[in-house]
Each structure stands twice: as structure tokens, then as C-alpha cells.
Amino acid sequence: ATARNPALNASLMKIVFATNNAHKLAEVQAVLGDAYELVTPRMCGVEEEIPENQPTLEGNASEKSHYLRACTGLDCFADDTGLDGAPGVHSARYASDGHDFAANNRLLLRNLEGVANRRARFRTVISLLVGDEEHLFEGVVEGRIVERESGAEGFGYDPLFVPDGCDRTFAEMSPDEKNAVSHRGRAVRKLVAFLRARGEK
């Protein structure tokens, strides 16, 4: 633990998460549980958009965590998520530069019109910077893209993605149900296990 970040050995651990997306924040906080408190870049005075200019999820997650670390000096983590293939690393900016989820979904459905194979894989990669070390965690879920949006929960492509073994989209699930099977939930659980093991040393 560093002197700058006493959170790593405090009973309630504070850690900076490179997002100002309220949906994603709530989703990750639910997996982290009560022993951890997420701090947003905005709460640290970082108002500008965090860059993500790399060609891979790993590269983007790492770029974002290093940028945030340089701005705040604090331990932090960042994630990047994509649908493998297209839209891939450009999932958030598929239809525009503005993280327009509805436009992204419309474009994906349009591009899949008449396509029989609607198999899809979601991947999340988390880059954690603690002290002088970087650690990467990955979560993957297999599934398919349905032909029309269904459900009002979640965000992003949730209304279109049905994970294997389920008959509902992510957007038709409660937050707890989604976190139990989602790519981001799996990656965050690996992050939590690492932090807990590190804190017990």
C-alpha cells in the first residue's frame, strides 16, 4: 500500500474507477460489495474524457488506467468492453462518437439483417494499477444477438444480447442476475479476489 492511498489497508477500501457512467458504476459497485468504495474521475477533479485510442481492449483499459494514475497519483482501475469481431473495440462508438446506445443498437441490428449466424461473445478487460504494478483481468460470456431489442434494464447492447443458457436478454434481467453471468461481472470478481488476497498478505 502507498502512503497516498491508505484505502488498501483500510476496512473500507477506496479505489478510483475510470468511468463516469452511472450504470457501469452501479454494476461494478454491486459486485465489489460493501468493503470497497468506488471513486470516479470527476470526484478526483478529472473532468476531461479519458483517452482510449488503442486497437485492443487490453490496450484501451491500460491506457485509461495509466492516464488516470498520472492525473491523480492514486491506485485505480479501468475497463474496456467489446463485442468480439464488429463492433469490437469500437463498441461504445459504433454508430457515433457520442456513446449513443440506441444508435449503436439500431446499427448492429441493421448490419445483422438476414444474417443466420448471430453468435456473439462479449469480453471485458480490466487494468488495475496498484503501487507500481499493473494487473489485467478478463471476463468473457458467449451468447447471441436477438432480432429486436427487449428489456429496459442495463445499458449498451444489453437489450440485444442473450447469454448462453438463458432465454432473456441482459436488459430483461435484474442487476444481480446480470452480474452473476456477465462478462463484466466475471472480470470484476477476478479483480475483487485479487484485491482481497493482496489485502490479506
Side-chain angles (χ1 to χ4, degrees), residues 57-69:
L57 299 180
E58 290 83 354
N60 271 338
S62 184
E63 181 178 30
K64 289 191 283 187
S65 64
H66 279 89
Y67 182 89
L68 195 55
R69 177 62 174 269

Side-chain angles (χ1 to χ4, degrees), residues 7-69:
L8 282 174
N9 52 29
S11 58
L12 182 65
M13 188 180 108
K14 290 185 174 72
I15 191 163
V16 187
F17 178 28
T19 188
N20 288 308
N21 179 324
H23 292 289
K24 187 187 290 188
L25 199 67
E27 199 172 275
V28 172
Q29 183 70 70
V31 181
L32 283 171
D34 294 338
Y36 304 87
E37 180 183 350
L38 291 179
V39 179
T40 67
R42 202 166 283 145
M43 292 163 69
C44 298
V46 180
E47 297 286 345
E48 68 271 21
E49 183 143 348
I50 298 172
E52 42 185 334
N53 302 309
Q54 304 306 308
T56 64
L57 299 180
E58 290 83 354
N60 271 338
S62 184
E63 181 178 30
K64 289 191 283 187
S65 64
H66 279 89
Y67 182 89
L68 195 55
R69 177 62 174 269

Side-chain angles (χ1 to χ4, degrees), residues 105 146 148-151 153 155-161 169-171:
N105 286 337
V146 293
R148 62 186 62 85
E149 292 187 47
S150 186
E153 295 291 328
F155 61 100
Y157 298 98
D158 286 357
L160 296 178
F161 186 84
T169 68
F170 276 152

Side-chain angles (χ1 to χ4, degrees), residues 137-151:
F137 308 93
E138 181 188 51
V140 177
V141 63
E142 305 277 351
R144 60 189 171 87
I145 302 296
V146 293
E147 294 184 353
R148 62 186 62 85
E149 292 187 47
S150 186

Side-chain angles (χ1 to χ4, degrees), residues 2-3 20 27 31 45 58 61 68 70 84 92 104 126 132-133 152 156-157 173 176 195-197 200:
T2 64
N20 288 308
E27 199 172 275
V31 181
E58 290 83 354
L68 195 55
D84 272 5
N104 289 343
I126 293 174
D132 296 323
E133 299 175 351
Y157 298 98
M173 299 178 183
D176 285 347
L195 290 172
R196 285 180 176 152
E200 289 166 0

Side-chain angles (χ1 to χ4, degrees), residues 162-182:
V162 175
D164 284 351
C166 300
D167 58 4
R168 291 175 295 158
T169 68
F170 276 152
E172 293 176 294
M173 299 178 183
S174 71
D176 285 347
E177 288 174 323
K178 178 188 172 185
N179 279 333
V181 296
S182 78

Side-chain angles (χ1 to χ4, degrees), residues 65-134:
S65 64
H66 279 89
Y67 182 89
L68 195 55
R69 177 62 174 269
C71 290
T72 66
L74 299 172
D75 292 342
C76 60
F77 70 94
D79 80 309
D80 199 30
T81 293
L83 276 168
D84 272 5
V89 75
H90 303 294
S91 290
R93 296 180 174 86
Y94 188 38
S96 71
D97 288 334
H99 291 72
D100 186 333
F101 297 142
N104 289 343
N105 286 337
R106 286 194 300 270
L107 179 59
L108 182 59
L109 286 177
R110 196 155 62 241
N111 288 339
L112 285 176
E113 281 180 12
V115 176
N117 181 5
R118 301 176 77 90
R119 295 292 304 163
R121 175 189 294 116
F122 256 126
R123 288 180 67 231
T124 289
V125 176
I126 293 174
S127 164
L128 169 70
L129 290 179
V130 204
D132 296 323
E133 299 175 351
E134 179 178 17

